[in-house]
Amino acid sequence: MLNFTKASLYVALLCATVPALAQTNITSTAGSLTAQYGNSNAVENYPKLIDNNTSTKYYIDKTSLWVQFEAARSAVVTQYSITSANDYADRDPKNWNLQASNDGKTWTTLNTQTNQAFASRFLTKTYSFTNTTAYTIYRLNVIANNGAGAIQIAEWQLQGTLTGPASGPTNVTATVQSGYKINLTWSDNATNETGYRIESSLDAVNFLTRATVAANATTYTDSALSAGTSFIYRVRAVNATGVSSADTSDVVKTSVAPSGFDITNYTNAKFNDPYNTTGAEGLDKAFDNSPYTKYLAWAATTAIGYSLPGGAVATQYSITSANDASDRDPRNWTFQGSNDSTNWTNLQVVTDQQFTARYKKRTYVFPNTTSYKYYRLNITANNGASITQLSEFEIIGTGTGTVNTGVPAAPTGFTTQSVSSNQIILDWADAASTETNYRLERTTDTLNWNTAFVLPVNTTHFYSLDLSPLTKYYYRLRAENANGASAWVTGNNTTLTATPKSVWQEHWFAHVEPLTLNYSNSSVNIYFDAAVSPSITWMNQDFTNVWEYVKQNYGSFSDPKLNMVFHSKAGYSGGHPANVFDASHDYANVGDLGGSWATREGWNLHASIHEVGHIVEGGSKGVHNSPSFPIWGDSKWAEIFIYDVMKRLGWSADAQQAYNDFVVKAESFPSPDTYWFRDWFYPIYDRADSSAALNRYFELLSQYFPQHNGEYTRDLNLGEFVHFWSGAAQFSLELQADTAFGWTKQLEMQFKQAQIDFPFTYPQPLLAPAVAAVPEKKAAVLNIWPNPASNVLNLSLPDAVKVYNVDIYNIAGVKRVSQRIKGNYNSLSISSLPDGVYIVTVTDDKKIIHRQKIVVSNTNR
């Protein structure tokens, strides 16, 4: 089953007619139901809690959880009911409380119950309490059940009285203004409001109040907004009884901030805070140019001071969130300047801010022409914690200070660890704060250092992959910046043997079996436990072919061999993967499965290839982890992967059977009745360049998505997912996402922000969206992408049979690349080009038909 950190379903139902003075079933009115955990089985997922059907239920394999309902308008709830489900009384909730909130952060406990038991199935128990306050959000926190390893509830109802203005605003429109402002307008439909509440959000889920304006107002300008950010707004009418339903704007984006110099990098600048915070999470970590360290103040408020003797004119600053605990993020602050450290001028006042991800950088631009010697970020509130943290604080401006002209400090503590026949792991301490990159070089003879790796700033760990067995490798490492390079530090180690173990003793999870090597060649090792007959051989050639195709389409995965482990002993079922980054499986690519393996039939083949698909997603392009896993689960990616493998290996009947199985499968994530294969993966596969598009997705992730020390640092959201697959398909998938998942405001916001954060480009759709049976491709239009580009430039050309000349000139007009190409879709290598700005021209019969400026970034991806 797939667990979501926060799952959401929007429910819009008509209110039933109720007798006078009777209470309203609030959970049957318009609003949204959310849950801490979602069940990937739609039949038992949390929407069943409020479907007014006691024969259905919400089931989840957790012993504590929360569910909440956010009403469209305020409601005074004084009663609620819980109905037991169809079976297993030990799954019934036992201890819980009901809480209410108007902002999702400050909660009031309305009712607490302990030691509750449901004497029969489908029994409804009602709980009443005294409450006169209107809230919009109600949360049921189940703290314990009656002893089982899971919780189930058939129905949850809230009863009360809807309050607040009955008529909310309409026609809410948001327009970006200069100076990082957004102007809002709306239609005033209420007759008894005392004002209008303005709320904004960065994710279309969590809204924060920005202001409350007077009754009859129809406009508001929101200012002091962060640059390069997508916003969505909603407006509600308010009065003493609560709030009306909200009307929501479209998504709008502020412009990106201009580039500038970070004056906190002057070497004669000084920093302070009220607590003199030092140590591993001291104040200096806010200025060390690493988002992977942090400043932690043991207080709910703090102030970060900066001083420069020569003064500086600051015009923007940025704050980057730290690694964990979002309630520690700054929420309200004032950015101030001073020339005597006593009298302060407010340069910008900012309230109700949120950081939607860890290591998220938000930049704020403000007008200023005055030089100040002192600046201060005065943080007056965080998001609810008793301590405050951030990873980086930068001030952008022009000033008089000492520029560091020294080379960066050399790394320290350099170590090497040989972990397999093809991998040595390198570790070191980042002693520099001014490096622009690390350079790592490798050799086998100490003379010819012919393999260089340029690593990002703050790197301290490296997986040296694709090595040869029983070979001694020498390494040297240094930090570099514009002033030069540090001294080299060196190390060496020898890889292990590539000879597979005849008996491999399991030592992972609950697996303890001695595995016997039943078959081996240059591509696979096949291991059986004692319960699998050694006479079974169908998987030998099949998985040789599978792994050879995987390496052909997706890359090496370091180890040239795939290890397939087959169990038939009782207690072993299902399967799991491992890859060359996993110490638990001896740094090998492994598919480990339990079942009966006598025949080459559907599940045996599908499940085995499924695990290989996990190896691909978890270790592709030399980067560990799968940031897509929370979206496609376990696993919709595997379906298109299985289909592609079978098709490319010429297993026509198997591929057709896989297609027939997958095209009819519906899931409850990310929304109910989602047909992943039919409406998402197969149309992409069919309209784009099939296998190449699947590989291109992982290429783009490795080039653009946040990573540190060889591992992705966070998961994708759905909008980012659509953006990266658009890059892989080489045309926008907005319409396809609408068909597959439903295009919500939340998805639109995430998608637009992803285009800002990861600026590779692609043309609009070549075709309208459709299901798996799709029309033939139409002719391509001329497009060149991505921009900025790294190593490879993609081109779509209007005529598939015509030959075109593609030339790339540097900014001085010198031709650096020239190639004749043919076909609608092409890839052009630009790996030899130094970083910089270039002009690409496309010539058709000696006439230039297209000219485009591109930015090449081959070394700092």
Side-chain angles (χ1 to χ4, degrees), residues 740-789:
F741 312 128
W743 194 260
T744 64
K745 291 287 181 71
Q746 180 183 3
L747 178 52
E748 180 182 2
M749 168 159 283
Q750 293 172 344
F751 182 71
K752 289 188 173 181
Q753 189 62 44
Q755 292 176 317
I756 295 172
D757 294 341
F758 311 110
F760 55 85
T761 57
Y762 37 79
Q764 287 301 304
L766 304 179
L767 297 171
V771 295
V774 296
E776 295 181 358
K777 296 182 179 69
K778 296 180 181 179
V781 294
L782 204 159
N783 283 284
I784 299 174
W785 74 98
N787 189 13

Tab-separated table of all heavy atoms in Angstrom, residues 740-789:
chain	number	residue	atom	x	y	z
A	740	ALA	N	-5.421	12.627	-17.524
A	740	ALA	CA	-5.053	11.528	-16.634
A	740	ALA	C	-5.411	11.793	-15.183
A	740	ALA	O	-5.941	10.910	-14.494
A	740	ALA	CB	-3.556	11.255	-16.752
A	741	PHE	N	-5.098	13.005	-14.694
A	741	PHE	CA	-5.194	13.275	-13.262
A	741	PHE	C	-6.236	14.320	-12.893
A	741	PHE	O	-6.628	14.408	-11.730
A	741	PHE	CB	-3.831	13.759	-12.728
A	741	PHE	CG	-2.662	12.920	-13.152
A	741	PHE	CD1	-1.552	13.503	-13.741
A	741	PHE	CD2	-2.677	11.543	-12.996
A	741	PHE	CE1	-0.461	12.745	-14.135
A	741	PHE	CE2	-1.605	10.771	-13.388
A	741	PHE	CZ	-0.496	11.367	-13.968
A	742	GLY	N	-6.650	15.128	-13.858
A	742	GLY	CA	-7.487	16.281	-13.564
A	742	GLY	C	-6.616	17.486	-13.262
A	742	GLY	O	-5.732	17.419	-12.408
A	743	TRP	N	-6.821	18.569	-13.982
A	743	TRP	CA	-5.958	19.746	-13.850
A	743	TRP	C	-6.522	20.668	-12.784
A	743	TRP	O	-7.391	21.500	-13.035
A	743	TRP	CB	-5.839	20.470	-15.194
A	743	TRP	CG	-4.725	21.478	-15.194
A	743	TRP	CD1	-4.845	22.825	-15.035
A	743	TRP	CD2	-3.334	21.211	-15.347
A	743	TRP	NE1	-3.610	23.425	-15.081
A	743	TRP	CE2	-2.652	22.456	-15.271
A	743	TRP	CE3	-2.578	20.058	-15.537
A	743	TRP	CZ2	-1.272	22.571	-15.382
A	743	TRP	CZ3	-1.207	20.174	-15.652
A	743	TRP	CH2	-0.571	21.415	-15.577
A	744	THR	N	-6.022	20.544	-11.567
A	744	THR	CA	-6.480	21.358	-10.447
A	744	THR	C	-5.636	22.621	-10.330
A	744	THR	O	-4.567	22.746	-10.936
A	744	THR	CB	-6.364	20.571	-9.137
A	744	THR	OG1	-4.977	20.297	-8.885
A	744	THR	CG2	-7.125	19.258	-9.224
A	745	LYS	N	-6.105	23.553	-9.507
A	745	LYS	CA	-5.318	24.755	-9.232
A	745	LYS	C	-3.992	24.384	-8.580
A	745	LYS	O	-2.961	25.009	-8.840
A	745	LYS	CB	-6.114	25.699	-8.328
A	745	LYS	CG	-7.330	26.352	-8.988
A	745	LYS	CD	-6.929	27.411	-9.971
A	745	LYS	CE	-8.128	28.087	-10.613
A	745	LYS	NZ	-8.877	28.960	-9.700
A	746	GLN	N	-4.026	23.373	-7.723
A	746	GLN	CA	-2.791	22.943	-7.068
A	746	GLN	C	-1.776	22.427	-8.084
A	746	GLN	O	-0.595	22.783	-8.044
A	746	GLN	CB	-3.088	21.843	-6.049
A	746	GLN	CG	-1.851	21.344	-5.323
A	746	GLN	CD	-2.154	20.210	-4.359
A	746	GLN	OE1	-3.291	19.742	-4.265
A	746	GLN	NE2	-1.144	19.751	-3.645
A	747	LEU	N	-2.246	21.624	-9.037
A	747	LEU	CA	-1.346	21.087	-10.059
A	747	LEU	C	-0.822	22.203	-10.960
A	747	LEU	O	0.366	22.234	-11.309
A	747	LEU	CB	-2.078	20.025	-10.888
A	747	LEU	CG	-1.308	19.385	-12.045
A	747	LEU	CD1	0.031	18.846	-11.591
A	747	LEU	CD2	-2.139	18.277	-12.678
A	748	GLU	N	-1.688	23.144	-11.309
A	748	GLU	CA	-1.247	24.258	-12.152
A	748	GLU	C	-0.165	25.078	-11.441
A	748	GLU	O	0.841	25.462	-12.043
A	748	GLU	CB	-2.429	25.157	-12.496
A	748	GLU	CG	-2.048	26.336	-13.375
A	748	GLU	CD	-3.217	27.262	-13.671
A	748	GLU	OE1	-4.325	27.010	-13.156
A	748	GLU	OE2	-3.014	28.243	-14.410
A	749	MET	N	-0.358	25.312	-10.151
A	749	MET	CA	0.621	26.089	-9.393
A	749	MET	C	1.963	25.363	-9.337
A	749	MET	O	3.026	25.955	-9.570
A	749	MET	CB	0.095	26.321	-7.987
A	749	MET	CG	1.109	26.861	-7.012
A	749	MET	SD	0.305	27.646	-5.628
A	749	MET	CE	-0.174	29.200	-6.364
A	750	GLN	N	1.933	24.086	-9.034
A	750	GLN	CA	3.173	23.306	-8.972
A	750	GLN	C	3.866	23.259	-10.328
A	750	GLN	O	5.092	23.356	-10.413
A	750	GLN	CB	2.867	21.890	-8.493
A	750	GLN	CG	2.390	21.811	-7.051
A	750	GLN	CD	1.924	20.420	-6.680
A	750	GLN	OE1	1.678	19.570	-7.547
A	750	GLN	NE2	1.790	20.164	-5.392
A	751	PHE	N	3.097	23.116	-11.389
A	751	PHE	CA	3.653	23.030	-12.735
A	751	PHE	C	4.334	24.338	-13.132
A	751	PHE	O	5.461	24.344	-13.638
A	751	PHE	CB	2.535	22.680	-13.720
A	751	PHE	CG	2.981	22.520	-15.150
A	751	PHE	CD1	3.747	21.435	-15.536
A	751	PHE	CD2	2.617	23.453	-16.104
A	751	PHE	CE1	4.144	21.272	-16.867
A	751	PHE	CE2	3.005	23.302	-17.430
A	751	PHE	CZ	3.775	22.215	-17.801
A	752	LYS	N	3.671	25.452	-12.873
A	752	LYS	CA	4.253	26.744	-13.235
A	752	LYS	C	5.492	27.052	-12.403
A	752	LYS	O	6.460	27.628	-12.906
A	752	LYS	CB	3.211	27.850	-13.098
A	752	LYS	CG	2.129	27.781	-14.172
A	752	LYS	CD	1.210	28.988	-14.150
A	752	LYS	CE	0.252	28.958	-15.338
A	752	LYS	NZ	-0.633	30.135	-15.359
A	753	GLN	N	5.472	26.675	-11.124
A	753	GLN	CA	6.657	26.892	-10.303
A	753	GLN	C	7.802	26.000	-10.771
A	753	GLN	O	8.971	26.405	-10.751
A	753	GLN	CB	6.345	26.622	-8.836
A	753	GLN	CG	7.460	27.042	-7.882
A	753	GLN	CD	7.746	28.534	-7.924
A	753	GLN	OE1	6.825	29.352	-7.938
A	753	GLN	NE2	9.018	28.892	-7.967
A	754	ALA	N	7.481	24.787	-11.194
A	754	ALA	CA	8.519	23.884	-11.705
A	754	ALA	C	9.199	24.470	-12.932
A	754	ALA	O	10.420	24.319	-13.117
A	754	ALA	CB	7.907	22.527	-12.034
A	755	GLN	N	8.442	25.146	-13.785
A	755	GLN	CA	9.038	25.766	-14.978
A	755	GLN	C	9.995	26.890	-14.600
A	755	GLN	O	10.947	27.159	-15.331
A	755	GLN	CB	7.926	26.279	-15.895
A	755	GLN	CG	7.114	25.162	-16.526
A	755	GLN	CD	5.959	25.663	-17.358
A	755	GLN	OE1	5.240	26.589	-16.957
A	755	GLN	NE2	5.770	25.094	-18.530
A	756	ILE	N	9.749	27.532	-13.457
A	756	ILE	CA	10.670	28.559	-12.958
A	756	ILE	C	11.905	27.899	-12.346
A	756	ILE	O	13.036	28.292	-12.623
A	756	ILE	CB	9.973	29.447	-11.914
A	756	ILE	CG1	8.824	30.244	-12.547
A	756	ILE	CG2	10.977	30.406	-11.264
A	756	ILE	CD1	7.979	31.002	-11.542
A	757	ASP	N	11.676	26.893	-11.523
A	757	ASP	CA	12.769	26.284	-10.763
A	757	ASP	C	13.689	25.435	-11.631
A	757	ASP	O	14.889	25.333	-11.347
A	757	ASP	CB	12.201	25.421	-9.637
A	757	ASP	CG	11.478	26.239	-8.575
A	757	ASP	OD1	11.711	27.457	-8.507
A	757	ASP	OD2	10.678	25.656	-7.819
A	758	PHE	N	13.143	24.814	-12.680
A	758	PHE	CA	13.925	23.913	-13.537
A	758	PHE	C	13.723	24.365	-14.991
A	758	PHE	O	12.864	23.852	-15.704
A	758	PHE	CB	13.470	22.466	-13.342
A	758	PHE	CG	13.381	22.067	-11.894
A	758	PHE	CD1	12.150	21.855	-11.293
A	758	PHE	CD2	14.521	21.940	-11.123
A	758	PHE	CE1	12.056	21.516	-9.956
A	758	PHE	CE2	14.441	21.600	-9.784
A	758	PHE	CZ	13.202	21.388	-9.207
A	759	PRO	N	14.530	25.337	-15.445
A	759	PRO	CA	14.222	26.053	-16.695
A	759	PRO	C	14.649	25.353	-17.972
A	759	PRO	O	15.269	25.943	-18.841
A	759	PRO	CB	14.982	27.373	-16.495
A	759	PRO	CG	16.160	26.993	-15.662
A	759	PRO	CD	15.673	25.931	-14.724
A	760	PHE	N	14.320	24.077	-18.125
A	760	PHE	CA	14.408	23.479	-19.455
A	760	PHE	C	13.068	23.704	-20.154
A	760	PHE	O	12.032	23.865	-19.510
A	760	PHE	CB	14.776	21.996	-19.400
A	760	PHE	CG	13.876	21.141	-18.538
A	760	PHE	CD1	12.699	20.615	-19.048
A	760	PHE	CD2	14.223	20.848	-17.233
A	760	PHE	CE1	11.873	19.810	-18.272
A	760	PHE	CE2	13.412	20.045	-16.436
A	760	PHE	CZ	12.237	19.532	-16.962
A	761	THR	N	13.091	23.746	-21.454
A	761	THR	CA	11.914	24.154	-22.210
A	761	THR	C	11.480	23.056	-23.177
A	761	THR	O	12.231	22.132	-23.485
A	761	THR	CB	12.193	25.438	-23.003
A	761	THR	OG1	13.318	25.217	-23.866
A	761	THR	CG2	12.523	26.592	-22.061
A	762	TYR	N	10.267	23.207	-23.678
A	762	TYR	CA	9.698	22.266	-24.640
A	762	TYR	C	8.524	22.964	-25.315
A	762	TYR	O	7.910	23.881	-24.757
A	762	TYR	CB	9.219	20.985	-23.945
A	762	TYR	CG	8.610	21.225	-22.581
A	762	TYR	CD1	7.305	21.687	-22.424
A	762	TYR	CD2	9.375	21.022	-21.434
A	762	TYR	CE1	6.776	21.925	-21.172
A	762	TYR	CE2	8.857	21.260	-20.173
A	762	TYR	CZ	7.553	21.711	-20.048
A	762	TYR	OH	7.027	21.957	-18.809
A	763	PRO	N	8.183	22.550	-26.530
A	763	PRO	CA	7.048	23.174	-27.211
A	763	PRO	C	5.723	22.713	-26.633
A	763	PRO	O	5.666	21.792	-25.818
A	763	PRO	CB	7.211	22.705	-28.660
A	763	PRO	CG	7.982	21.434	-28.559
A	763	PRO	CD	8.886	21.583	-27.371
A	764	GLN	N	4.665	23.355	-27.068
A	764	GLN	CA	3.326	22.971	-26.665
A	764	GLN	C	2.957	21.644	-27.337
A	764	GLN	O	3.643	21.172	-28.238
A	764	GLN	CB	2.335	24.068	-27.034
A	764	GLN	CG	2.444	25.297	-26.156
A	764	GLN	CD	2.221	24.979	-24.688
A	764	GLN	OE1	1.191	24.431	-24.315
A	764	GLN	NE2	3.199	25.303	-23.847
A	765	PRO	N	1.864	21.024	-26.906
A	765	PRO	CA	1.548	19.684	-27.408
A	765	PRO	C	1.431	19.633	-28.927
A	765	PRO	O	0.884	20.536	-29.555
A	765	PRO	CB	0.199	19.377	-26.749
A	765	PRO	CG	0.132	20.258	-25.569
A	765	PRO	CD	0.886	21.499	-25.925
A	766	LEU	N	1.943	18.545	-29.474
A	766	LEU	CA	1.780	18.320	-30.907
A	766	LEU	C	0.378	17.813	-31.206
A	766	LEU	O	-0.131	17.987	-32.307
A	766	LEU	CB	2.809	17.297	-31.395
A	766	LEU	CG	4.274	17.652	-31.114
A	766	LEU	CD1	5.178	16.548	-31.618
A	766	LEU	CD2	4.622	18.966	-31.789
A	767	LEU	N	-0.238	17.148	-30.241
A	767	LEU	CA	-1.553	16.556	-30.425
A	767	LEU	C	-2.404	16.836	-29.197
A	767	LEU	O	-1.890	17.032	-28.108
A	767	LEU	CB	-1.443	15.035	-30.617
A	767	LEU	CG	-0.674	14.545	-31.849
A	767	LEU	CD1	-0.491	13.046	-31.747
A	767	LEU	CD2	-1.420	14.899	-33.107
A	768	ALA	N	-3.709	16.808	-29.376
A	768	ALA	CA	-4.602	16.886	-28.231
A	768	ALA	C	-4.504	15.586	-27.443
A	768	ALA	O	-4.159	14.544	-27.991
A	768	ALA	CB	-6.037	17.115	-28.708
A	769	PRO	N	-4.799	15.603	-26.149
A	769	PRO	CA	-4.668	14.382	-25.355
A	769	PRO	C	-5.683	13.331	-25.769
A	769	PRO	O	-6.763	13.637	-26.251
A	769	PRO	CB	-4.932	14.871	-23.931
A	769	PRO	CG	-5.773	16.087	-24.100
A	769	PRO	CD	-5.288	16.730	-25.349
A	770	ALA	N	-5.316	12.095	-25.565
A	770	ALA	CA	-6.196	10.982	-25.871
A	770	ALA	C	-5.823	9.814	-24.995
A	770	ALA	O	-4.870	9.863	-24.237
A	770	ALA	CB	-6.101	10.604	-27.347
A	771	VAL	N	-6.598	8.738	-25.104
A	771	VAL	CA	-6.303	7.539	-24.339
A	771	VAL	C	-5.358	6.670	-25.141
A	771	VAL	O	-4.818	7.079	-26.157
A	771	VAL	CB	-7.609	6.803	-23.979
A	771	VAL	CG1	-8.449	7.660	-23.060
A	771	VAL	CG2	-8.399	6.453	-25.228
A	772	ALA	N	-5.167	5.436	-24.706
A	772	ALA	CA	-4.101	4.609	-25.256
A	772	ALA	C	-4.196	4.423	-26.767
A	772	ALA	O	-3.185	4.365	-27.448
A	772	ALA	CB	-4.091	3.255	-24.563
A	773	ALA	N	-5.401	4.292	-27.291
A	773	ALA	CA	-5.535	4.224	-28.738
A	773	ALA	C	-5.466	5.647	-29.266
A	773	ALA	O	-6.375	6.434	-29.085
A	773	ALA	CB	-6.864	3.574	-29.115
A	774	VAL	N	-4.382	6.004	-29.941
A	774	VAL	CA	-4.127	7.396	-30.302
A	774	VAL	C	-3.931	7.523	-31.804
A	774	VAL	O	-3.558	6.574	-32.492
A	774	VAL	CB	-2.873	7.931	-29.577
A	774	VAL	CG1	-3.099	7.938	-28.090
A	774	VAL	CG2	-1.658	7.099	-29.910
A	775	PRO	N	-4.187	8.720	-32.357
A	775	PRO	CA	-3.962	8.924	-33.787
A	775	PRO	C	-2.487	8.954	-34.127
A	775	PRO	O	-1.632	9.037	-33.259
A	775	PRO	CB	-4.604	10.296	-34.041
A	775	PRO	CG	-4.578	10.967	-32.709
A	775	PRO	CD	-4.753	9.888	-31.690
A	776	GLU	N	-2.191	8.916	-35.398
A	776	GLU	CA	-0.802	8.969	-35.841
A	776	GLU	C	-0.206	10.345	-35.562
A	776	GLU	O	-0.903	11.338	-35.443
A	776	GLU	CB	-0.724	8.676	-37.340
A	776	GLU	CG	-1.169	7.255	-37.696
A	776	GLU	CD	-1.056	7.016	-39.195
A	776	GLU	OE1	-0.686	7.961	-39.918
A	776	GLU	OE2	-1.351	5.900	-39.621
A	777	LYS	N	1.122	10.380	-35.487
A	777	LYS	CA	1.824	11.637	-35.241
A	777	LYS	C	1.623	12.594	-36.414
A	777	LYS	O	1.560	12.192	-37.563
A	777	LYS	CB	3.322	11.395	-35.045
A	777	LYS	CG	3.682	10.580	-33.825
A	777	LYS	CD	5.180	10.469	-33.720
A	777	LYS	CE	5.577	9.674	-32.504
A	777	LYS	NZ	5.242	8.257	-32.618
A	778	LYS	N	1.551	13.876	-36.078
A	778	LYS	CA	1.563	14.915	-37.086
A	778	LYS	C	2.979	15.435	-37.267
A	778	LYS	O	3.864	15.137	-36.481
A	778	LYS	CB	0.638	16.065	-36.666
A	778	LYS	CG	-0.839	15.660	-36.583
A	778	LYS	CD	-1.686	16.845	-36.160
A	778	LYS	CE	-3.158	16.454	-36.059
A	778	LYS	NZ	-3.997	17.572	-35.621
A	779	ALA	N	3.173	16.213	-38.290
A	779	ALA	CA	4.508	16.755	-38.543
A	779	ALA	C	4.939	17.654	-37.386
A	779	ALA	O	4.140	18.370	-36.797
A	779	ALA	CB	4.514	17.544	-39.845
A	780	ALA	N	6.220	17.594	-37.073
A	780	ALA	CA	6.755	18.411	-35.988
A	780	ALA	C	6.881	19.861	-36.414
A	780	ALA	O	6.902	20.189	-37.597
A	780	ALA	CB	8.118	17.878	-35.561
A	781	VAL	N	6.978	20.749	-35.441
A	781	VAL	CA	7.299	22.141	-35.703
A	781	VAL	C	8.729	22.363	-35.254
A	781	VAL	O	9.307	21.577	-34.521
A	781	VAL	CB	6.338	23.085	-34.966
A	781	VAL	CG1	4.936	22.948	-35.516
A	781	VAL	CG2	6.355	22.803	-33.468
A	782	LEU	N	9.339	23.470	-35.706
A	782	LEU	CA	10.747	23.697	-35.415
A	782	LEU	C	10.892	24.233	-33.998
A	782	LEU	O	10.393	25.300	-33.679
A	782	LEU	CB	11.349	24.665	-36.436
A	782	LEU	CG	12.876	24.558	-36.616
A	782	LEU	CD1	13.292	25.150	-37.946
A	782	LEU	CD2	13.637	25.178	-35.479
A	783	ASN	N	11.574	23.467	-33.178
A	783	ASN	CA	11.848	23.860	-31.800
A	783	ASN	C	13.232	23.376	-31.400
A	783	ASN	O	13.709	22.344	-31.895
A	783	ASN	CB	10.817	23.266	-30.833
A	783	ASN	CG	9.499	24.010	-30.858
A	783	ASN	OD1	9.390	25.099	-30.307
A	783	ASN	ND2	8.512	23.421	-31.503
A	784	ILE	N	13.874	24.149	-30.517
A	784	ILE	CA	15.188	23.801	-29.982
A	784	ILE	C	15.103	23.898	-28.466
A	784	ILE	O	14.666	24.915	-27.932
A	784	ILE	CB	16.278	24.749	-30.525
A	784	ILE	CG1	16.361	24.647	-32.059
A	784	ILE	CG2	17.634	24.448	-29.903
A	784	ILE	CD1	17.311	25.653	-32.691
A	785	TRP	N	15.523	22.848	-27.784
A	785	TRP	CA	15.418	22.813	-26.326
A	785	TRP	C	16.404	21.790	-25.787
A	785	TRP	O	16.934	20.990	-26.559
A	785	TRP	CB	13.985	22.477	-25.914
A	785	TRP	CG	13.605	21.040	-26.126
A	785	TRP	CD1	13.598	20.038	-25.210
A	785	TRP	CD2	13.184	20.438	-27.365
A	785	TRP	NE1	13.215	18.858	-25.784
A	785	TRP	CE2	12.957	19.070	-27.108
A	785	TRP	CE3	12.999	20.911	-28.661
A	785	TRP	CZ2	12.551	18.183	-28.083
A	785	TRP	CZ3	12.586	20.023	-29.638
A	785	TRP	CH2	12.365	18.675	-29.361
A	786	PRO	N	16.720	21.737	-24.469
A	786	PRO	CA	16.318	22.711	-23.440
A	786	PRO	C	17.163	23.969	-23.541
A	786	PRO	O	18.145	24.014	-24.281
A	786	PRO	CB	16.606	21.968	-22.146
A	786	PRO	CG	17.747	21.080	-22.477
A	786	PRO	CD	17.536	20.652	-23.902
A	787	ASN	N	16.811	24.964	-22.785
A	787	ASN	CA	17.574	26.211	-22.743
A	787	ASN	C	17.439	26.802	-21.334
A	787	ASN	O	16.330	27.200	-20.959
A	787	ASN	CB	17.040	27.201	-23.770
A	787	ASN	CG	17.923	28.424	-23.918
A	787	ASN	OD1	19.050	28.444	-23.447
A	787	ASN	ND2	17.403	29.435	-24.583
A	788	PRO	N	18.485	26.760	-20.513
A	788	PRO	CA	19.875	26.380	-20.761
A	788	PRO	C	20.008	24.896	-21.102
A	788	PRO	O	19.172	24.086	-20.722
A	788	PRO	CB	20.582	26.697	-19.437
A	788	PRO	CG	19.684	27.665	-18.745
A	788	PRO	CD	18.305	27.292	-19.151
A	789	ALA	N	21.100	24.575	-21.789
A	789	ALA	CA	21.337	23.207	-22.241
A	789	ALA	C	22.642	22.684	-21.668
A	789	ALA	O	23.600	23.436	-21.494
A	789	ALA	CB	21.369	23.157	-23.764
